[in-house]
Amino acid sequence: MQNFRNYYEILGLQQSATFEEIKQSFRRLARQYHPDLNPGDKAAEERFKMLGEAYEVLSDSDKRAQYEQYSRYWKQQGFSGFWEHRDADFSEWDDFNNFVDQLLNRHRGKTATATATPVRTESEDPFKPGKSKTSYTVKARPTRRDAEAELSVPLDRAHSGGPERIRLEDGRSLEVNMPPGMVTGQRIRLRGQGMGGGDLYLKILVEPHAFFSRQGDDVFCRVSLSPSEAVLGTQIEVPTLDGPVKMVIPAGVQPGQKLRLAGKGYATPEGERGDQIVEIEIAIPTVLDPEEKSLYQELYSIESFDPRADLMR
C-alpha cells in the first residue's frame, strides 16, 4: 500500500479524539485553508481537500473503524502478509487512494452511483447445460446521511433571495436559488446534496447590517437632518432594501420622530412586505464658515422660539 495519509495528523488530533473534537478542528482548519480566503494558493487548496477527506472518514463511526483497522498494519514490516488475515482483506486495493475511494464510495472522475455490471463467464450453468452463464456484480450503495452547514447571508440578500453560489466546507460549490425573506435560524433543505445522496440542510445566519435593523417584518433606520432641513422641511433620498427612494420631510420635524415608508420593509415568504420606519436625528454642525456663523447669529438675535419655555411653568 502506498500514499497512506494520517487523517488524525492532518486534523491536528490524537487518535483518541472525540467526534466533537474532530468537528471543531475541521471547522477551524477549513476556514483557515478555504480557497476563497487563499485565492491562487494551490498548497492551501490541496490542504483543504485533504481536510475534507479526513473529516468525511473520521466523522463516520463505520468508516473511522475501517480506516483505523487498515492503519494499524500499513507500516509493519512484512505488511503484505496482512492479506492472509481472515478478519480483514484489503488485497483488492493496490494503494491507499483506491482504499479511500472504496471507503467513500467514489470513483475517480465520475459521480459515485450504484451500478450493476454484467460479467460473462464461460462456466457451465448447472441448470442449462451447454449455455454460457451471466453473473452480476453489484456495487454497494453509499450510506445515505443528511448533513448540515451554516450559511451567513447579508441582510439585503436575505431579504431579496435569488441565485446564490455556495461553497461548502467539503470543497463542493453549489448554485442555489434562495427564497426571499430568510431569517436567522431558518433551515433550507437541498435534496440529495448530503452524504451518499442524503439531504443537505443550510442553517441561515442573517448578518447584522450597518444601517438597517429588522423587527419582525419592519425595517428600522436612522436618518440625520440639518437644523434648517428640520425647521423648513425638505425632500431627501432614503436608502431602502430595494434602493434609494425619495421621502418628504415635514416642516418642524422633531428629533426621535418616526416616519413611515409603507411597503418598504422586509419581505415574507408569502410575498408580503412590512414597512420601513425612519427615525429622525438632528445633526448640529461643528464647523461654520464666517458667513454661516453670521447668519446663525442673526437668526439667534431675532428668533422668538424658546426651547426651555416649559421649564418655567
Side-chain angles (χ1 to χ4, degrees):
M1 290 277 184
Q2 303 296 323
N3 310 320
F4 179 81
R5 294 185 287 281
N6 188 328
Y7 290 150
Y8 291 102
E9 186 176 287
I10 288 172
L11 291 174
L13 298 168
Q14 299 294 324
Q15 190 168 342
S16 58
T18 65
F19 285 108
E20 185 61 29
E21 289 171 336
I22 291 170
K23 181 179 179 180
Q24 291 176 356
S25 181
F26 168 70
R27 287 189 170 182
R28 175 176 56 81
L29 292 171
R31 291 189 187 99
Q32 179 180 347
Y33 292 100
H34 199 287
D36 286 351
L37 300 180
N38 301 273
D41 189 336
K42 295 298 183 183
E45 183 177 350
E46 186 62 29
R47 180 69 186 275
F48 184 78
K49 291 178 181 177
M50 288 298 99
L51 290 168
E53 182 178 294
Y55 179 71
E56 188 171 354
V57 171
L58 298 184
S59 63
D60 184 291
S61 57
D62 292 336
K63 293 174 183 177
R64 183 178 180 180
Q66 293 179 55
Y67 169 77
E68 290 181 351
Q69 184 182 34
Y70 170 83
S71 63
R72 283 198 299 270
Y73 297 94
W74 80 279
K75 284 186 176 177
Q76 293 184 8
Q77 187 174 6
F79 177 63
S80 60
F82 175 58
W83 308 135
E84 303 303 324
H85 285 244
R86 293 181 178 272
D87 59 344
D89 181 7
F90 299 114
S91 57
E92 63 182 288
W93 300 298
D94 56 359
D95 65 21
F96 182 73
N97 288 334
N98 288 343
F99 168 74
V100 173
D101 287 343
Q102 183 70 15
L103 184 65
L104 301 182
N105 297 295
R106 69 189 186 192
H107 302 281
R108 296 186 180 276
K110 298 181 179 179
T111 303
T113 56
T115 59
T117 306
V119 179
R120 299 289 301 186
T121 69
E122 296 303 323
S123 60
E124 294 296 322
D125 189 323
F127 301 102
K128 295 183 180 180
K131 301 291 185 180
S132 62
K133 176 182 176 183
T134 301
S135 63
Y136 294 87
T137 301
V138 180
K139 298 185 183 297
R141 289 182 178 271
T143 302
R144 288 175 56 88
R145 185 156 60 91
D146 292 344
E148 185 173 286
E150 189 174 87
L151 177 63
S152 296
V153 185
L155 180 67
D156 52 348
R157 294 219 302 269
H159 155 74
S160 61
E164 189 83 19
R165 180 166 291 279
I166 299 170
R167 186 181 288 274
L168 303 176
E169 288 183 336
D170 61 8
R172 289 182 294 151
S173 182
L174 302 177
E175 186 79 27
V176 181
N177 191 29
M178 307 298 287
M182 291 179 284
V183 296
T184 293
Q186 180 178 351
R187 295 170 83 234
I188 296 176
R189 181 185 183 187
L190 302 180
R191 293 180 181 273
Q193 297 299 329
M195 300 296 185
D199 296 333
L200 173 64
Y201 290 88
L202 295 178
K203 186 176 180 181
I204 300 301
L205 173 63
V206 179
E207 299 171 353
H209 195 278
F211 182 71
F212 300 111
S213 62
R214 188 177 64 85
Q215 296 183 17
D217 297 334
D218 291 335
V219 172
F220 284 74
C221 67
R222 290 186 175 90
V223 172
S224 296
L225 301 177
S226 71
S228 57
E229 287 176 326
V231 170
L232 301 175
T234 186
Q235 186 179 72
I236 63 172
E237 278 196 346
V238 177
T240 74
L241 290 171
D242 303 316
V245 299
K246 292 189 179 299
M247 182 178 189
V248 174
I249 304 297
V253 69
Q254 298 296 304
Q257 185 173 341
K258 294 180 174 65
L259 306 178
R260 185 180 301 271
L261 290 172
K264 291 298 182 181
Y266 204 67
T268 69
E270 295 77 22
E272 300 177 354
R273 294 287 296 272
D275 299 333
Q276 179 165 323
I277 310 301
V278 180
E279 183 176 343
I280 298 300
E281 296 178 335
I282 307 300
I284 305 299
T286 58
V287 178
L288 300 172
D289 65 29
E291 184 179 3
E292 289 174 324
K293 186 174 182 179
S294 175
L295 290 172
Y296 270 107
Q297 289 173 336
E298 182 180 350
L299 174 63
Y300 177 72
S301 66
I302 64 173
E303 69 180 349
S304 59
F305 174 64
D306 183 358
R308 295 173 296 282
D310 291 344
L311 298 178
M312 303 304 177
R313 293 179 183 177

